Amino acid sequence: MTKSDKTGMNRRTMLAATGAAGLAATITPVQAALLPDPDVAFDFDVVVVGTGMTGVAAALEAAQTGARVVVLEKLSEKTMGGNSALAGGGFAVPSEDSDAARQSYVEDFIKKGKGRGNSALYDVFAANARRDVDWLRENGVTFLPEGPLPPYRLNIAVAEPGWYMGMPSLLKSMRAKIEEAGGEYRFDTKARQLKMDKTGAVVGLRAVGPDGVVDFNAPSVVLATGGYAANRQMLADYSDPEAGGLMVRGRETATGDGLLMAQEAGAGLAGMGGLMALHIAAVDPRETAAGNPWAVLPYTVAVNRHGKRYVDESLGYVAHGKSMLRQPGQRAALIFGSGIAESDAAQPTLGGFKRLGIAITEADSLDELAAAIDVPADALKATVEEYNAAIDGDAAPGLVPPKAALARRIEGPRFFAIQPLAPGVTLTFGGIMIDPTARALEADGRVIPGLFAAGEGAGAPFFDDYIGGGSLINCLVMGRVAGNQAAARAKS
Ligand SMILES: Cc1cc2nc3c(=O)[nH]c(=O)nc-3n(C[C@H](O)[C@H](O)[C@H](O)COP(=O)(O)OP(=O)(O)OC[C@H]3O[C@@H](n4cnc5c(N)ncnc54)[C@H](O)[C@@H]3O)c2cc1C
């Protein structure tokens, strides 16, 4: 890192100087009106914005190829890691190192996104996912033994020691490796504006931090700033007026800063429209991150405040979360009996809730259960009776709404309810337009030289829903691609 002199230049002299120098650049007049010239500037090869999974993958890759890297984070050191620090820690990888496994991996992702996700990125995930998880292992990250994730034909690798527990230490060990390779972290430092030269290339950014306004000059900037799940205005404007009022499962700081900065620099956005651009899950409002009953949900009967079913529970937790937007008071309960409570399939949810201290409501009868969860007993009993009677093999096609799979009778001796559940935004799918090498694009497809973007805030990888572990693998693979490309540009 090189520290530039305090310039003391006014805007006019700065423009003249940078015109001659070419790379040392200025910001556009519109942006210049927002922030004053910096007191201090630093020169790096690669500036990475964000310390989540994407940022650490980009920074370590760039630093290990010899680039001088700085990682900026608007949060404090204590809360570094953004939403990645709160994540379940599952990474979706092809089930083995073979062309057939890679092909079915891509097919499953395409199918999950109804053919409207970014399949060019799925090819990159498929080609690199296993290698990149191994790269994490080489850099000190440990995983539980990989396992299948039915109904998909892929595997899930969960960071040790297990679901919702492994990400903080993963991010910490990546930080140690980045620093070992010469990279630097700057906390409480918010990137505010990208800087561009006269050719339209990005040549750094202007940030505000403990030292005031600071410029970080570099031929490559990687935006790894995550999504906009906590930007209520963006949620309401782009997706659905209801969405602006939803609970946020992750950090309130996921405000889409990277999307806004990139847009100011001319980048296009993709995949922003409608509820299709959101991942919504119905979770326990007392524990919005880990209080997600995803494992048991498909086997249960989901009822609203009136004791009525409203969704095919076997469609999974995102379809369930979105369906709750239209339920009275946006509150629901998952009902099940002893057989389901004792099944292996339910244990990731029941074990996780126990670890978190979230009580599951139990009763000896449906009458008692209805009273405990405050829904009309007659309605609940009628719903369960109709449900049990309609089960035919593994499904209940005659019900309204029907159940396509995993239908199990709700029977005693004990009855259970997970409640109250409320919908919250987990992640957002829309983002900065990029190509498969993580270069940011204008809306007409032109490359913005020097600007790279990856992770949740780039590429619109998913549409409507995603396969669990799909986002972290996107962050890892595309973050690493961005770091590699950014370092290569700096060298060239
Ligand atoms: C509760 C929960 C559980 C999840 N579980 C899983 C899972 O098991 N598997 C899976 O695949 N996905 C999961 N996801 C989704 C996944 O965690 C995220 O999509 C992913 O972690 C995003 O990583 P990222 O690096 O793109 O962004 P983030 O991890 O959000 O990191 C972005 C960072 O950039 C910083 N930043 C933003 N703007 C600025 C700025 N202007 N200046 C400086 N810094 C800035 C932020 O503070 C943040 O630290 C989960 C999400 C949540 C909320």
Side-chain angles (χ1 to χ4, degrees), residues 49-55 72-75 79-91 163-164 189-192 224-227 249-251 253-255 257-258 261 288-290 425-427 454-457 466-473 475:
V49 191
T51 55
M53 189 63 238
T54 313
L72 308 183
E73 173 55 63
K74 68 178 177 178
L75 297 174
T79 48
M80 73 165 194
N83 279 350
S84 300
L86 304 178
F91 293 71
W163 285 106
Y164 289 105
T189 302
K190 182 173 179 176
R192 292 285 303 273
T225 45
R249 291 190 61 208
R251 296 231 152 95
T253 44
T255 43
D257 299 8
M261 281 189 283
T288 55
V425 187
T426 318
L427 64 144
E456 186 179 324
Y466 83 141
I467 295 177
S471 189
L472 286 177
I473 206 69
C475 296

Side-chain angles (χ1 to χ4, degrees), residues 15 113 132 153-154 191-193 212 249 359 420 460-461:
L15 275 171
D132 288 354
R153 296 164 294 167
L154 48 74
R192 292 285 303 273
Q193 298 166 1
R249 291 190 61 208

Side-chain angles (χ1 to χ4, degrees), residues 60 107 277 360 392 423 440:
L60 184 57
E107 285 168 5
I360 291 176
D392 183 7

Side-chain angles (χ1 to χ4, degrees), residues 291-322:
N292 175 10
W294 59 276
V296 76
L297 163 74
Y299 303 93
T300 65
V301 168
V303 296
N304 62 19
R305 276 184 169 171
H306 302 316
K308 304 260 194 232
R309 275 183 80 242
Y310 52 88
V311 70
D312 178 346
E313 301 85 349
S314 71
L315 296 177
Y317 68 96
V318 175
H320 176 238
K322 290 184 182 178

Side-chain angles (χ1 to χ4, degrees), residues 235-429:
L235 291 180
D237 285 353
Y238 283 111
S239 47
D240 187 284
E242 286 279 347
L246 284 172
M247 285 190 318
V248 179
R249 291 190 61 208
R251 296 231 152 95
E252 290 287 346
T253 44
T255 43
D257 299 8
L259 281 70
L260 300 170
M261 281 189 283
Q263 243 188 334
E264 280 180 351
L269 299 184
M272 304 289 292
L275 286 176
M276 299 303 185
L278 304 182
H279 179 293
I280 296 176
V283 296
D284 189 299
R286 292 160 295 188
E287 180 53 63
T288 55
N292 175 10
W294 59 276
V296 76
L297 163 74
Y299 303 93
T300 65
V301 168
V303 296
N304 62 19
R305 276 184 169 171
H306 302 316
K308 304 260 194 232
R309 275 183 80 242
Y310 52 88
V311 70
D312 178 346
E313 301 85 349
S314 71
L315 296 177
Y317 68 96
V318 175
H320 176 238
K322 290 184 182 178
S323 73
M324 275 195 64
L325 296 185
R326 295 180 300 279
Q327 297 312 307
Q330 296 186 342
R331 287 290 181 277
L334 305 184
I335 309 296
F336 52 101
S338 298
I340 294 165
E342 285 156 18
S343 70
D344 287 346
Q347 296 321 307
T349 293
L350 304 188
F353 274 47
K354 194 167 173 195
R355 181 174 56 79
L356 294 167
I358 304 175
I360 291 176
T361 311
E362 289 187 43
D364 285 328
S365 68
L366 285 172
D367 277 307
E368 237 183 69
L369 193 73
I373 66 174
D374 197 22
V375 301
D378 288 349
L380 182 66
K381 282 191 295 186
T383 297
V384 170
E385 261 170 42
E386 192 192 354
Y387 179 86
N388 284 345
I391 294 177
D392 183 7
D394 197 39
L399 280 176
V400 181
K403 182 137 177 172
L406 305 177
R408 303 284 183 273
R409 291 174 68 81
I410 308 297
E411 291 173 326
R414 297 282 284 168
F415 295 92
F416 303 83
I418 294 183
Q419 60 85 41
L421 294 179
V425 187
T426 318
L427 64 144
T428 48
F429 295 152

